[in-house]
Amino acid sequence: MPIRVLPEAVALRIAAGEVITRPTDAVKELVENAVDAVLASRPQALTPHSGGRLLAPSPAERAPGARQWKRGAEGGLSALPARIDVEIRDGGLALIRVVDTGCGIPANEVALAFQRHATSKLATAEDLFAVRTLGFRGEALASIAAISQVALYTRAAGAELGALLELDAGRVVEQGPRAGPVGTSITVRNLFQNVPARLRFLRSAAGEAGQVVHLVGQYALSFPEIRFSLLNDGRLVFQSPGGGRLEDVLAKVYGAALVEKLLPVEGEAGRLKVVGYVAEPGTHRSTRSGISIFVNRRWVQSRALTYAVEEAYQPALPAGRHPVAALWLELPPSEVDVNVHPTKAEVRFADERGIYAAVRRTIRGVVLRAAPVPGVGAPLAPAVPSPPGPAVESSPAAQVPRQASFAGAAGASGAPAEPGAPAAREPGLPILHPLGQVHRTYVVAEGPDGVYFVDQHTAHERVRYEEIQAQRAGAGVASQVLLDPLVVDLTPRQWGLLGEGAPSLRALGFAFEPLGERSVLLRAVPAMLRLSDLARAFTDVVDALATEGPAAGVDAPSAVLACHSAVRAGDALSPEEIRELLGRLEGLDVWRYCPHGRPIVIRLDAAQLARDFRRV
Ligand code: ADP
Ligand code: MG
């Protein structure tokens, strides 16, 4: 086949395939046109907003010619309510209608609007680097019209009469003056009517409608001064109040319950400004749909920025869960390339890394402060002080202070003022998510504010000790009769302690009778006792009858019994056992130290980790 230039209609349909791949894309283009039109008619238009407040335009933006797109009688229009009403039927395939109260199109330009590369928002190539409008390519109307039936009614501000234009597959079928309000109404019917292949690949109408609901919510978030509504198959499914308060729109989009969990964020880095809201780390979703990013009020999809947001939450979020965040980035238009994606969904930054870092830093500060840290404070908790001096990641020497700091931390926390004391009620251990066991000695778990190492023996010892105290206060420690009574030989000292100590030993679940000179016949032992070395357990408890408790208020025999009843270092624990152990520990008032005063929990602080890894 010889080379030839494609007929305009074919070229248009090819172009439309890029811009409009599904009904949601058409809705997006039409809503963007409506937003541009509404903002163009209002003097405060196109200024950044911060925490729901519209900022006054900067001097640069007030300068003549700074705003790209002005038309119509600005002053006269600003009295009109700023409204955009969207309607879809059958997921947008049967009908899409977008009605705005914007500046309208002058009657003599109506047909031009549907020509390819016809735009009123750009004049020169340089303008591409100062885009302040959502649209700028002049492709959308032409593309949509090529693959559907379009009816446009519009009246420009200041015009006596409006104009009507109807097209079918891009060909004008009806045109003329019409009376009506200032603004624009565009109705698209039978989208993809002449693109059967596209129709076949579309998802369900319900799925598409869901996308449109999401989309309209996003535009409502970025333009709280505009009142949006959405009708889906005749039902009102979304409405924002307008009026400019971001908080009001947040409640509509996320629901009032979630809004209570949102924390305001604000940050600055060079010419970049970041404002927005992020949910506290306890609130998360199974998808990334709760992350919204706007650049100069343009809703964008950015993998890298989304990743920066997610990273800012680590490790406060459970694996596989995603945060909720709405962020507005403001930066000079010259530093963002908005012309890199067919549907303008993606943008490119001049200083990508700087922007990602700023976003991460801004969110991280707020999120980490918000992470709940009940009861994990000094002296035990801040387990890992920063390595002294600047550590260089790659040098082997950097390993040394790190290890030393770990050891130092354990030592420092091992000498609390009153280790074993049943201290005054302290806040409980936070709920931990077990990750596993290391060295058959420590349970590793993720908590709200870091990684927790739990000494399985001291933890279990504390659990047992509290159990023993509770049982003694009631019917006595549960006892287990031995099928084969055990002969235990005692030292003279132990033998001497038996007389006075017998009631205590019985209360602890031991049953025995003297046998000969210095021996006893052990008939029953505490039910919780490990069955491995019963004789040793008994004699150790007897020894403890004469010793002071390891700390004020600690009962020595109970502590020894607890020790002998607890799992040991070296015991492999099943996931069930780990969960059970952590669950029991979480239920205790006293959980930092075992009865002997050894630490139970050491925490690797999340913020410290981030600093050590130079993430912040
Ligand atoms: P772009 O938005 O990139 O300029 P479009 O094809 O979407 O291109 O629209 C072409 C032109 O039609 C716009 O530049 C604008 O002048 C006009 N237009 C489209 N929709 C509206 C509207 N809702 N209100 C006012 N003018 C509009
Ligand atoms: Mg447009």
Side-chain angles (χ1 to χ4, degrees), residues 33 37 69 71 100 104-105 113 118-121 135-138 140-141 184:
N33 281 348
W69 196 45
R71 68 148 142 227
D100 68 59
I105 307 174
T119 179
S120 57
K121 302 170 192 176
F136 52 85
R137 287 212 190 113
L141 287 188
T184 301

Side-chain angles (χ1 to χ4, degrees), residues 351-402:
D351 174 24
E352 288 209 331
R353 299 191 52 179
I355 285 171
Y356 304 151
V359 166
R360 201 171 44 214
R361 201 170 340 107
T362 302
I363 299 177
R364 193 168 189 79
V366 170
V367 167
L368 286 186
R369 252 176 281 132
V373 200
V376 189
L380 182 64
V384 185
S386 31
V392 182
E393 290 290 323
S394 53
S395 102
Q399 302 300 321
V400 179
R402 198 153 303 182

